[in-house]
Amino acid sequence: MITAWTQEHLARLAAVRIGVAGAGGLGSNAVMCLARAGVRHLVVVDPDVVEADNLNRQAYTRAQVGRFKVDALAENVASAAPGCGLVTHRIRWAPGEAARLFEGCAVVLEALDEAGAKAGLIEDVLTHLPEAAIVCVSGLAGIGGNNALRTTGHGRLFVVGDGHTAPGPDVPLLAPRVVAAAALQANMALALALGDTETG
């Protein structure tokens, strides 16, 4: 764990490039964390628009409903951390696209909804971006279970969450656990950018 903060750390964060696939509850909150922490080069990929039903866990406002998420997120980042530049793509990640979309990224955050897409992105990054790490999420729905949210490392793959609590009719996605998982993703990305691979 990095406990002594130096100008070198700030310079390294300002120079690193981090990619985010998805700009919903995980992606939008992780991007805001990274921008506020001093990351200056972010790439965000998402085709969707902001929906009112999702404002309970996403980093948008009611005034941004109906706008493309990446455009609204760029606006929010510019307001909170004007030194951060976002490269945005209003498209859905597709298999084999990781190398093009996230070229030059030291870390990619998986913030997708569908299990198949999550697995596909992980494989794509590990195969076609051999220098990059990927931080994904598994198990963030529900309430409570603070100590169950953890990060495990598997080579260049890092997994945040409790590993099993999926959303469903009786298991909601709510801001506390979603934002906590997004913050853990961002925190792991910062550590990786500074050369720290420890997850404990």
Side-chain angles (χ1 to χ4, degrees), residues 116-142:
K118 287 173 176 281
L121 178 67
I122 292 167
E123 181 180 359
D124 196 2
V125 170
L126 293 178
T127 301
H128 298 113
L129 287 171
E131 303 301 319
I134 181 165
V135 185
C136 68
V137 172
S138 175
L140 74 158

Side-chain angles (χ1 to χ4, degrees), residues 129-185:
L129 287 171
E131 303 301 319
I134 181 165
V135 185
C136 68
V137 172
S138 175
L140 74 158
I143 298 171
N146 282 16
N147 292 336
L149 292 176
R150 62 192 185 280
T151 304
T152 56
H154 314 271
R156 291 187 289 124
L157 169 64
F158 296 83
V159 183
V160 171
D162 67 22
H164 61 85
T165 310
D170 300 316
V171 187
L173 282 170
L174 298 175
R177 278 189 127 220
V178 172
V179 175
L184 288 172
Q185 276 190 293

Side-chain angles (χ1 to χ4, degrees), residues 4-92:
W5 196 239
T6 68
Q7 288 301 311
E8 180 186 354
H9 290 134
L10 289 173
R12 288 170 69 181
L13 291 183
V16 74
R17 188 176 177 92
I18 295 176
V20 183
L26 289 171
S28 64
N29 287 297
V31 164
M32 295 304 296
C33 286
L34 291 168
R36 286 175 163 138
V39 175
R40 293 294 173 257
H41 304 283
L42 291 164
V43 180
V44 186
V45 178
D46 192 293
D48 297 328
V49 298
V50 178
E51 297 181 17
D53 288 349
N54 297 330
L55 293 178
N56 67 331
R57 61 185 183 275
Q58 297 182 0
Y60 303 109
T61 68
R62 187 160 294 278
Q64 293 172 324
V65 169
R67 295 182 58 194
F68 283 104
K69 288 179 179 178
V70 293
D71 295 347
L73 190 54
E75 179 180 274
N76 294 345
V77 166
S79 178
C84 181
L86 259 66
V87 174
T88 59
H89 299 280
R90 295 177 186 166
I91 60 173
R92 190 176 309 280

